[in-house]
């Protein structure tokens, strides 16, 4: 139980993949112009991270150490392809919006980072949970960035217009520079809120 | 001999896990193939119905029904032409176009009246324009402007407020607007030649 709480805290803020480990920045910049896109991307990443951590953990005792990276990449890509096919078949519009970024989940450092840093040395259940929570931490950051960008850039939330007719869309927010500003602000604010614990190793590239 | 064993075991392991995952993926791919191609077909059908200005409530069943009832697709000189039929008489043609946008190619469908004198509608299926700027070509007000414009053999579309302007550009997305107008104008020139040759 203690371990579950520890993993939960780590994923959400202490060791959050985006603002603490600075991983998965590329997709955080790319898909955060709409809340719906960020949500689907986040859930997709949770799915891939959780199941690849689980699989890596299950086969960790049989995997020859020196080829583990190859094995991890294979496992990750398999789950990403499953996700890609699923979106194409059941959410074609979303699949079109996210474009190449679903396929690029394969290169998201969060997943391999968790497989290497956690799943490799832990039991299957807790590895699965760790992957899920790390994905959730990523999703929360993406959603909060997307909340501000969509609200200011389109005046809407989840595609529903919330700011009145008089609102002039702040187009910069939905263009790439808006994402850079927002991610920068998130990293700055969170480093004030959650100061690094001295004894912890902290960010790993 | 120990080193030999170290090579064989990892290779076998990798082989095994690759075969396992590949077969799982192949199975999933095979079982969703039908649904995916159906979704793609549906997107094309929606777009063709839109350029013919035929309203549907948007559900997949109704789109399929409306499309099958009144639109036939036929290949003319290697180009797929969608023909709208009302009581056996052709009342419009729709053709797929692709052209260079600002950031990437823009593709979609254009509908013409049967004598190719009038544009019935223009739709965009895929583009990579900036969301909120050039991406606004997807908005209804922009697309609706193309309806009923008279075809000209040189320059059908002219952006307002130039002389004879008939299309409002998008504020902040001049280059995308110009790109769209150029694509459509060029496509109309090509289509007129194509229609003449194919006797449509």
């Amino acid at each position: 139980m203690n371990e579950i709480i520890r993993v939960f805290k780590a994923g959400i803020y202490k060791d959050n993949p985006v603002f603490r480990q600075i991983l998965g920045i590329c997709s955080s910049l790319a898909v955060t112009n709409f809340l719906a896109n960020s949500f689907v991307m986040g859930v997709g990443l949770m799915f891939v991270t959780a199941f690849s951590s689980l699989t890596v953990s299950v086969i960790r005792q049989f995997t020859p150490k020196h080829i583990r990276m190859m094995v991890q990449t294979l496992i990750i890509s398999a789950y990403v392809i499953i996700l890609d096919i699923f979106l194409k078949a059941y959410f074609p519009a979303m699949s079109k919006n996210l474009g190449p970024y679903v396929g690029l989940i394969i290169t998201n450092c969060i997943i391999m980072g968790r497989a290497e840093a956690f799943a490799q040395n832990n039991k299957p259940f807790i590895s699965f949970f760790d992957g899920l929570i790390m994905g959730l931490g990523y999703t929360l950051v993406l959603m909060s960035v997307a909340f501000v960008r969509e609200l200011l850039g389109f005046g809407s939330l989840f595609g529903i217009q919330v700011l009145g007719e008089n609102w002039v869309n702040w187009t910069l927010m939905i263009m790439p520079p808006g994402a850079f500003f927002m991610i920068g602000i998130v990293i700055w604010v969170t480093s004030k809120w959650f100061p690094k614990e001295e004894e912890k190793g902290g960010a790993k590239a | 001999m120990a080193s030999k064993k170290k090579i064989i075991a990892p290779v076998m392991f990798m082989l095994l896990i690759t075969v396992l995952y590949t077969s799982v993926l192949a199975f999933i791919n095979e079982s969703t193939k039908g649904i995916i191609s159906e979704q793609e077909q549906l997107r094309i059908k929606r777009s063709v119905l839109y350029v013919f200005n035929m309203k549907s409530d948007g559900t997949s069943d109704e789109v399929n029904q409306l499309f099958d009832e009144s639109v036939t697709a036929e290949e003319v000189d290697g180009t797929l032409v969608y023909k709208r039929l009302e009581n056996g008489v052709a009342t419009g043609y729709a053709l797929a176009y692709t052209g260079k946008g600002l950031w990437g190619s823009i593709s979609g469908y254009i509908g013409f009246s049967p004598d190719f004198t009038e544009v019935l509608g223009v739709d965009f299926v895929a583009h990579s324009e900036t969301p909120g700027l050039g991406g606004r070509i997807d908005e209804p007000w922009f697309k609706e402007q193309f309806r009923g414009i008279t075809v000209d053999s040189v320059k059908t579309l002219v952006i307002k407020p130039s002389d004879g302007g008939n299309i409002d550009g998008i504020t902040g997305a001049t280059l995308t607007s110009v790109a769209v107008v150029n694509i459509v104008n060029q496509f109309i020139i090509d289509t007129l030649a194509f229609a003449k040759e194919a006797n449509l």
Side-chain angles (χ1 to χ4, degrees):
Chain A
M1 196 60 207
N2 273 339
E3 206 179 5
I4 289 182
I5 294 170
R6 194 178 54 76
V7 166
F8 186 82
K9 279 185 181 166
I12 302 301
Y13 60 95
K14 274 194 186 153
D15 211 11
N16 182 290
V18 182
F19 61 73
R20 194 39 59 78
Q21 302 180 48
I22 320 288
L23 295 178
I25 294 297
C26 171
S27 53
S28 317
L29 295 170
V31 300
T32 48
N33 49 358
F34 285 105
L35 267 170
N37 291 1
S38 309
F39 179 73
V40 172
M41 187 73 183
V43 172
L45 191 104
M46 279 167 78
F47 163 81
V48 174
T49 320
F51 279 96
S52 46
S53 282
L54 175 73
T55 317
V56 167
S57 177
V58 166
I59 61 168
R60 71 187 191 281
Q61 264 129 11
F62 316 108
T63 315
K65 281 286 170 277
H66 59 291
I67 59 158
R68 65 179 195 285
M69 291 283 208
M70 257 158 80
V71 175
Q72 287 166 6
T73 316
L74 180 83
I75 293 168
I76 294 166
S77 20
Y79 286 114
V80 171
I81 294 169
I82 292 174
L83 177 73
D84 193 31
I85 292 177
F86 175 77
L87 286 179
K88 268 193 194 136
Y90 299 102
F91 300 97
M94 187 48 74
S95 166
K96 199 180 141 213
N97 280 349
L98 292 175
Y101 291 100
V102 177
L104 285 175
I105 293 180
I106 295 173
T107 61
N108 195 315
C109 311
I110 297 172
I111 307 170
M112 204 149 191
R114 287 337 282 173
E116 269 292 291
F118 199 93
Q120 200 62 45
N121 311 310
N122 286 282
K123 290 208 170 79
F125 171 74
I126 194 74
S127 299
F128 179 83
F129 187 71
D130 175 76
L132 203 66
I133 294 304
M134 279 293 163
L136 182 68
Y138 169 84
T139 311
L140 289 177
V141 174
L142 249 68
M143 299 277 288
S144 45
V145 171
F147 178 85
V148 178
R149 289 185 68 195
E150 191 180 344
L151 188 69
L152 298 181
F154 289 109
S156 61
L157 293 175
F158 281 108
I160 300 159
Q161 205 67 30
V162 288
L163 297 176
E165 282 291 300
N166 293 328
W167 173 254
V168 179
N169 289 344
W170 187 10
T171 313
L172 182 72
M173 286 316 284
I174 44 183
M175 291 170 68
F180 277 104
F181 289 136
M182 283 311 301
I183 295 275
I185 291 170
V186 165
I187 293 172
W188 170 45
V189 169
T190 48
S191 73
K192 290 273 167 206
W193 272 0
F194 313 119
K196 249 181 215 159
E197 288 166 46
E198 293 311 318
E199 71 276 12
K200 283 261 166 76
K204 288 177 219 98
Chain B
M1 276 332 239
S3 67
K4 197 179 173 190
K5 198 181 165 200
K6 261 180 199 157
I7 294 173
I8 292 173
V11 169
M12 290 315 280
F13 183 84
M14 203 59 208
L15 200 66
L16 194 75
I17 195 163
T18 312
V19 167
L20 184 77
Y21 270 99
T22 313
S23 26
V24 170
L25 286 181
F27 172 73
I28 294 177
N29 188 39
E30 205 53 44
S31 51
T32 51
K33 225 183 206 164
I35 306 173
I36 291 177
S37 71
E38 214 167 90
Q39 298 279 21
E40 275 161 14
Q41 282 301 315
L42 201 63
R43 217 168 84 196
I44 294 173
K45 286 179 184 177
R46 269 185 221 278
S47 193
V48 169
L49 288 183
Y50 176 83
V51 300
F52 283 145
N53 205 4
M54 292 159 80
K55 302 273 186 298
S56 71
D57 64 1
T59 60
S60 46
D61 287 345
E62 176 151 342
V63 168
N64 277 324
Q65 198 197 348
L66 196 61
F67 188 90
D68 295 341
E69 265 173 15
S70 49
V71 180
T72 55
E74 56 184 69
E75 197 146 320
V76 182
D77 291 351
T79 311
L80 199 57
V81 177
Y82 295 91
K83 196 186 329 180
R84 182 183 178 184
L85 291 169
E86 273 172 303
N87 305 322
V89 183
T91 53
Y93 294 101
L95 291 99
Y97 69 88
T98 311
K100 221 167 91 204
L102 177 59
W103 298 117
S105 58
I106 297 179
S107 61
Y109 290 87
I110 301 185
F112 294 99
S113 60
D115 51 0
F116 289 93
T117 54
E118 195 184 302
V119 176
L120 295 179
V122 173
D123 193 26
F124 308 99
V125 177
H127 67 78
S128 38
E129 303 306 302
T130 321
L133 290 172
R136 294 179 65 202
I137 55 174
D138 276 333
E139 290 180 7
W141 71 266
F142 185 73
K143 293 195 291 187
E144 287 296 322
Q145 301 185 91
F146 295 94
R147 294 209 193 281
I149 284 179
T150 311
V151 167
D152 184 285
S153 56
V154 187
K155 234 179 184 180
T156 305
L157 303 178
V158 179
I159 295 181
K160 289 176 192 171
S162 306
D163 265 356
N166 46 19
I167 294 288
D168 275 317
I170 298 166
T171 312
T174 311
L175 290 176
T176 300
S177 312
V178 169
V180 167
V181 164
N182 287 340
I183 292 169
V184 174
N185 281 342
Q186 186 56 47
F187 187 76
I188 287 174
I189 294 171
D190 296 345
T191 306
L192 288 178
F194 166 77
K196 206 170 167 188
E197 212 164 274
N199 269 325
L200 278 177

